[in-house]
Each structure stands twice: as structure tokens, then as C-alpha cells.
Amino acid sequence: MRPGPAPVRPGHPGIPSRPRRRPDLTLPLPQRDPSLAVPLPLPPPSAPSTRLRRMGSGSGGTVWMVRHRLTGRHYALKVIYGNHEDAVRRQILREIEILRTADNPFVVRCHAMYDHGGEIQILLEFMDGGSLEGRRITSESVLADVARQVLAGLAYLHRRRIVHRDIKPSNLLIDSGRRVKIADFGVSRILAQTMDPCNSSVGTIAYMSPERINTDLNHGIYDGYAGDIWSFGLSILEFYLGRFPFGENLGRQGDWASLMCAICYADPPEAPSTASREFRSFISYCLQKEPARRLTAVQLLQHPFITLCWGCWAEAVQFLYAHNVVRATHWELPLAWDPTLESYARWWATQRKGDCRLQHSFPDGGFQLGENIFWGSGSGWGPLDAVRNWAGEERDYSYAANACAPGRICGHYTQMVWKDTRRLGCSRVVCDGGGVFMTCNYFPPGNYIGERPY
């Protein structure tokens, strides 16, 4: 086992810059932008914007990343093509106007709409992390966090009597702060005014519920809210498996006839037996053939997979307790668990699952957090082992000299007991090769040159 090098800190917002022990170690973490706490300034319809790059396209239109020239802010511009009749165009614009009233932190914001030169343009919130399409999420705690955010967005839309109709990985977007939001809600209904509803751009067949494909299955009754839950459950299971749940041979670009038969007549896909009991139960409640047996978004938010996450809570308690025991020996205030730091730590631990490389999450420059990392051979290492290893560096730290013994490391220990640090978030992952990688993030960070930790 061995800990990684402990980073040190040059300064943070509101505090004059101070020299660091290791100026080559830095951590860029997306910080909360105060401007996000209030409505963003929007470019007026007449204001010029520059199209920077195309983000995606389909038969219904194209999405561009644009920059407003006056404010420099980035937006996503969805352009809907087609020569629509006046009545249809008015209906589309009415639909978009309804979408503009939606205001929820888990739903991509629709800022404005333009009817410009035969094109209908929708100005949307820009999510810099892109979509979750093609991403595998093997950590159940990370997946529970993603599912919670999507369900919160769905619950909001359904409460407002808005059915999405096209929940799928490519319509779930993420930003640099690991926030997940639902995109294109209502747009599928808008496009359906003039397009074939079975078109791959409008209610993708692969994620449609059985009763939507074959109305005979539910006596011709289609419950759009339950249909959204089916699509959501299929997407969450795809993230976990790393492939389309109905089989790679029936993937999203496969044989449509065989795919529709599998969705309508085969048994619903299930989470593997290696998954937790809570996750398997959660997926089964989403992928019920009978729509009435599927839980609603509000009910799923109360499911143990979302509310308990026993494994991650147990580890969180161990990380926090062990840190505070060490801090108490020097009469330092106990740390508080921070879900944002935990989310960041989980993200980095997931990145290291494939190689278990003892590597910090940051390149040089822009360091904003403290970070301790640990690697151990074999799968038995736990939070207490990592903290005990870091705390063991106390023997190599001289308080009188305020320095580590020659050739020794003590920065993990000094970060743990740093007097100004108040919040902590950690994560542990068993790597594909069998080792264990653990990481903890701290704020405010410590390890300033010339200052004692306590």
C-alpha cells in the first residue's frame, strides 16, 4: 500500500496568495458561479451571437454551441428546420412558450425562442459536459446520484403535466459540476407535429415502452408518465451495464423489427445478480411490462436505492469518523461531510477504476482543494486503512521545524489536521485489477508554506 503525494495550496478566494510546498501539484475543481444563483442575462432577439460549433444534428434540426457577443456567455441553439404551415408553426411556438416557463435545477433551461427566416430557433442552457450517451457508470453510489437528479427533473415535469416522450442517455446532460439535467423535454412533442413519431429523432424506438410501440398491450391506453419511467429505467440500466440492455445485437442501430419484438414480447431486462439488492429492485420497478405497476418518479425518489445507499453511507461515516479522531488529538474542530466534495471524489475514483493508478485528479494550475489519495494491493482495504496510513505520517512531521523529516512525506497528515479545513468528501473503489483506490478532498485546503497545521 502507499499514499499518493499530498498537494499543498498557494491561496484561495478571499485570501492572499501564499507559497506552496509543492507548486507543481494543482487541482482545478469547478467552483460555484454566483451568477448561477440568479437568472442568467439573456441575449435579446436582436442581439448578435456567434455559432462556434455544431454539437449534434438529426432529421429534425441541428444544435449549435453559440456565444453571445455582448456578454460572452455560451448557450445551446436548437434550430428546427422545415416549411411548417402557419397553423402548425403557431402550435409549435405555443409549445415552446410553455417550455420557457419551466424552471428547475434538474431540467435544461429554455431561455428564448426565435422565428427567424423560416427556422424556429430555441435558445437553451449550455451544459459543458455533454450528454451521458456511451458512458458506463459502474459505481452504484454515483449511479444513484445520477438517477436522483434525473428523477427530480422528471417529477417536476410530470407535476406540471409535461411528458418528455424521449428520455434516453443522449438527452441527459452533465456539466463540469457533475450536475445532471434533462434536455429536450417537450421538443419531441413539438417535432411530432410534422414528423413520423417512430422516427429515431422523435421518441427513439429503442427506449420506447412496450405499450407505446404496441398499443394492444395495454388496451390502447398510453400513459406518457409511465412511458417516461420505462425509458428512464432502461437508460440507468444501460449506464450500469455499459451496453444497451436488450443485447448488443439488438442495439440502438440494429434490426428495428427484432428490437420492437424484444421490447414488446420478451421479458424486461434485469440488473445482473452481482448488483446490490436495492439496485435490482429499483430497476425492476422501472421496467414493469404493465404501466400501472411502474412506480412514479416521486415514488422512485423514496426507493432505498436512492435514499439509503448503505454502502456509500457506511464508507462516508468511516472516512469522517477516522479523520475527526485524528483532528481531536490536536483539539481541532471536527470536519463536516460535504456531498459536493464527495461527488467530486466519486468521479475521480471512478476514473481510476480501470487502472488504479496513484494519480491526483488535477493537472498543474488552478488548484482549489486539498486532496489525499491512497492505493492498496488487493480488495480488502477500507477507509480506516487509508486514514490510518495518512495519519501515520505524524511521526515524520516536526512541529518545531514545521517540516517533514528528510526524504519523508507528511503532507497527507498535515492536510488532515489543518486548522482551517472544515469540510470533507471521500470515495473508495475496487479497481478492475483487484486493487483499491481511495481519494479524499478537503475545503478549505491546507499545507501553506510557513504556516503550522494546528
Side-chain angles (χ1 to χ4, degrees):
M1 67 177 182
R2 62 180 186 274
V8 292
R9 167 74 175 161
H12 54 83
I15 296 179
S17 180
R18 290 174 277 179
R20 304 155 53 201
R21 288 180 182 150
R22 292 288 304 279
D24 59 315
L25 293 180
T26 55
L27 172 59
L29 181 74
Q31 296 296 294
R32 182 179 296 277
D33 184 350
S35 66
L36 297 180
V38 297
L40 295 175
L42 304 179
S46 59
S49 62
T50 302
R51 295 187 182 184
L52 301 179
R53 61 181 175 87
R54 187 172 65 179
M55 300 169 59
S57 61
S59 56
T62 301
V63 179
W64 297 85
M65 175 184 174
V66 300
R67 182 179 63 242
H68 183 227
R69 295 176 189 169
L70 299 182
T71 65
R73 292 189 176 275
H74 290 159
Y75 298 89
L77 185 69
K78 189 176 187 72
V79 181
I80 302 176
Y81 304 128
N83 297 316
H84 308 293
E85 297 179 358
D86 288 343
V88 173
R89 179 178 292 273
R90 285 194 297 271
Q91 176 63 21
I92 292 175
L93 295 178
R94 280 196 297 270
E95 296 278 5
I96 298 175
E97 191 62 38
I98 294 174
L99 304 185
R100 290 185 62 189
T101 66
D103 184 11
N104 184 269
F106 305 106
V107 172
V108 170
R109 184 75 183 271
C110 176
H111 288 305
M113 63 177 179
Y114 314 126
D115 188 354
H116 178 70
E119 297 178 346
I120 294 177
Q121 301 180 352
I122 310 173
L123 191 69
L124 302 165
E125 176 183 1
F126 174 65
M127 300 289 285
D128 57 6
S131 81
L132 293 177
E133 184 176 21
R135 304 198 191 191
R136 186 178 186 189
I137 306 175
T138 57
S139 167
E140 288 194 15
S141 58
V142 175
L143 196 56
D145 188 49
V146 170
R148 176 188 59 80
Q149 295 181 71
V150 177
L151 284 172
L154 275 179
Y156 170 80
L157 294 176
H158 291 176
R159 188 164 58 248
R160 301 194 68 220
R161 300 181 182 274
I162 297 175
V163 177
H164 190 286
R165 292 169 55 98
D166 199 17
I167 292 290
K168 56 185 178 181
S170 62
N171 280 339
L172 303 178
L173 308 185
I174 191 168
D175 67 9
S176 55
R178 318 313 297 174
R179 290 175 287 266
V180 179
K181 302 190 180 188
I182 300 173
D184 271 3
F185 66 97
V187 173
S188 60
R189 181 173 55 183
I190 293 168
L191 296 180
Q193 304 287 336
T194 56
M195 298 176 64
D196 177 1
C198 286
N199 184 285
S200 61
S201 298
V202 186
T204 309
I205 293 176
Y207 299 92
M208 285 184 183
S209 60
E211 71 278 4
R212 185 177 178 191
I213 295 174
N214 183 359
T215 56
D216 292 338
L217 294 178
N218 197 41
H219 311 291
I221 301 173
Y222 173 62
D223 181 348
Y225 305 119
D228 280 352
I229 295 301
W230 172 280
S231 304
F232 160 78
L234 207 60
S235 300
I236 294 298
L237 184 54
E238 179 173 327
F239 295 146
Y240 185 83
L241 298 174
R243 59 172 175 79
F244 185 61
F246 277 99
E248 295 183 88
N249 293 332
L250 291 177
R252 290 157 293 180
Q253 305 301 322
D255 182 343
W256 293 116
S258 299
L259 175 60
M260 287 189 288
C261 287
I263 294 173
C264 294
Y265 302 112
D267 291 335
E270 299 177 343
S273 59
T274 54
S276 69
R277 180 178 59 184
E278 290 78 15
F279 181 61
R280 285 184 277 118
S281 169
F282 182 81
I283 292 297
S284 70
Y285 277 119
C286 295
L287 300 182
Q288 291 288 323
K289 274 291 185 65
E290 296 181 27
R293 298 184 63 184
R294 295 173 206 151
L295 296 186
T296 65
V298 172
Q299 290 171 330
L300 286 169
L301 281 169
Q302 305 304 315
H303 190 279
F305 175 65
I306 301 296
T307 60
L308 298 182
C309 188
W310 288 114
C312 52
W313 273 112
E315 291 185 352
V317 169
Q318 292 180 53
F319 275 120
L320 185 62
Y321 173 78
H323 272 81
N324 286 335
V325 166
V326 176
R327 290 176 65 84
T329 61
H330 297 290
W331 300 96
E332 291 301 329
L333 290 174
L335 301 178
W337 192 257
D338 189 309
T340 302
L341 295 180
E342 178 193 12
S343 179
Y344 184 86
R346 283 204 311 264
W347 165 75
W348 184 242
T350 301
Q351 301 303 305
R352 297 275 61 82
K353 186 177 187 298
D355 56 22
C356 226
R357 189 163 65 240
L358 196 64
Q359 175 183 333
H360 279 287
S361 64
F362 46 85
D364 293 345
F367 178 55
Q368 297 293 329
L369 294 178
E371 183 174 85
N372 285 351
I373 56 177
F374 171 95
W375 169 84
S377 176
S379 59
W381 301 97
L384 299 181
D385 298 307
V387 175
R388 189 179 300 115
N389 185 265
W390 297 331
E393 295 176 1
E394 181 179 11
R395 61 180 175 271
D396 296 315
Y397 172 70
S398 169
Y399 187 82
N402 191 28
C404 302
R408 307 296 293 178
I409 294 175
C410 63
H412 301 89
Y413 162 71
T414 54
Q415 172 58 84
M416 288 175 58
V417 298
W418 195 264
K419 55 184 178 293
D420 295 328
T421 298
R422 293 291 180 267
R423 303 199 299 273
L424 170 73
C426 306
S427 186
R428 170 186 178 273
V429 66
V430 177
C431 303
D432 295 340
V436 169
F437 179 87
M438 286 180 270
T439 177
C440 287
N441 290 109
Y442 307 81
F443 190 84
N447 285 353
Y448 292 97
I449 290 180
E451 297 185 23
R452 288 183 167 81
Y454 48 84

